[in-house]
């Protein structure tokens, strides 16, 4: 990477920290392919890699203030991607362990029907599409609450808001998400 490219990325990070959506978009477009491949090489599933790509960038942009310039932005993103992928694998292992029923003689594995899988995939795609159309502050607060599982207090500390402001913004974000899902 040339010095000019490094300077351009640094400038985009600065603008993104100031909340400029176009800077977020340009950073996403610049690193999307590299981060996707990093994730895919870990999870070996395109759909999961797509989901984790979104999660990675949501986490990165929500924690952009914690990025320090002594490491490359690409490496910082890869670290988040790798950690998100590892978290996903751990979660899947725990869920798979919960699907087994022990009947003393042998074990049966619960499975979903093809119809269930189809409905889940369609619902997941619609949700991903609606989330991508939400404003960043709404996506961010939903991600903090649902993906990272933070409490209202933890979110308020992280975003510098009161707990009632967090609850209010989360309700607004959920309402906007419902509107987007109903318009599909």
């Amino acid at each position: 990477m040339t010095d000019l490219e490094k300077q351009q990325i640094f400038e985009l990070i600065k603008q993104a920290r100031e909340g400029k959506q176009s800077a977020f978009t340009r950073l996403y477009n610049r690193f999307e392919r590299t981060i996707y491949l990093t994730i895919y090489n870990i999870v070996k599933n395109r759909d999961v890699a797509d989901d984790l790509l979104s999660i990675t960038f949501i986490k990165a942009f929500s924690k952009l203030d914690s990025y320090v310039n002594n490491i490359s932005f690409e490496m910082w993103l890869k670290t988040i991607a790798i950690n998100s992928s590892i978290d996903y694998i751990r979660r899947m292992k725990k869920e798979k362990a919960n699907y087994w029923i022990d009947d003393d003689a042998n074990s049966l594995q619960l499975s979903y029907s093809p119809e269930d899988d189809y409905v889940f995939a369609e619902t997941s795609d619609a949700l991903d599409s609606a989330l991508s159309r939400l404003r960043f502050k709404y996506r961010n607060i939903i991600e903090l609450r649902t993906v990272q599982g933070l409490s209202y207090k933890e979110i308020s500390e992280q975003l510098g808001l009161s707990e009632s402001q967090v609850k209010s913004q989360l309700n607004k974000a959920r309402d906007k998400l419902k509107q987007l899902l109903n318009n599909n």
Side-chain angles (χ1 to χ4, degrees):
M1 185 178 296
T2 67
D3 287 338
L4 177 60
E5 288 175 319
K6 288 178 186 176
Q7 184 59 34
Q8 289 171 338
I9 290 169
F10 178 73
E11 185 59 35
L12 287 173
I13 293 167
K14 181 180 171 192
Q15 291 173 7
R17 283 179 173 157
E18 295 169 357
K20 294 186 179 175
Q21 186 66 40
S22 62
F24 288 121
T25 302
R26 289 179 63 197
L27 285 169
Y28 178 87
N29 291 338
R30 168 72 173 85
F31 294 103
E32 171 190 17
R33 180 93 175 126
T34 304
I35 300 305
Y36 176 85
L37 291 173
T38 300
I39 294 167
Y40 182 79
N41 285 331
I42 296 170
V43 298
K44 306 290 190 223
N45 181 307
R46 289 181 186 195
D47 293 332
V48 172
D50 285 335
D51 293 343
L52 290 174
L53 178 70
S54 298
I55 291 169
T56 297
F57 276 96
I58 290 171
K59 284 181 180 180
F61 292 139
S62 69
K63 297 178 184 205
L64 199 54
D65 288 334
S66 69
Y67 170 71
V68 289
N69 297 336
N70 62 348
I71 61 168
S72 79
F73 188 69
E74 181 177 336
M75 287 308 299
W76 186 70
L77 285 173
K78 282 183 178 181
T79 301
I80 295 170
I82 291 167
N83 288 335
S84 295
S85 300
I86 292 169
D87 290 344
Y88 168 80
I89 291 169
R90 286 181 183 147
R91 222 174 27 254
M92 289 300 102
K93 282 184 181 179
K94 284 181 185 177
E95 285 181 21
K96 280 185 179 180
N98 291 334
Y99 286 131
W100 287 91
I101 299 174
D102 194 4
D103 68 354
D104 293 334
N106 54 17
S107 294
L108 301 172
Q109 186 174 14
L110 298 177
S111 63
Y112 295 105
S113 71
E115 294 84 9
D116 291 338
D117 289 342
Y118 177 77
V119 169
F120 177 78
E122 288 295 310
T123 304
S124 180
D125 290 345
L127 183 59
D128 288 344
S129 174
L131 280 169
S132 70
R133 290 182 284 157
L134 276 179
R135 289 176 48 194
F136 175 74
K137 75 176 191 175
Y138 291 147
R139 268 195 326 266
N140 184 31
I141 203 158
I142 287 174
E143 191 268 344
L144 291 172
R145 182 71 176 155
T146 59
V147 177
Q148 295 184 20
L150 298 181
S151 68
Y152 294 121
K153 182 177 181 180
E154 292 169 323
I155 295 170
S156 71
E157 291 169 357
Q158 186 167 341
L159 298 179
L161 302 170
S162 69
E163 286 186 52
S164 61
Q165 288 173 316
V166 168
K167 290 176 184 178
S168 174
Q169 281 192 12
L170 190 57
N171 283 332
K172 287 178 186 177
R174 288 176 178 154
D175 288 342
K176 294 280 187 191
L177 188 59
K178 284 178 193 174
Q179 287 173 1
L180 290 170
L181 287 169
N182 289 332
N183 291 336
N184 277 345

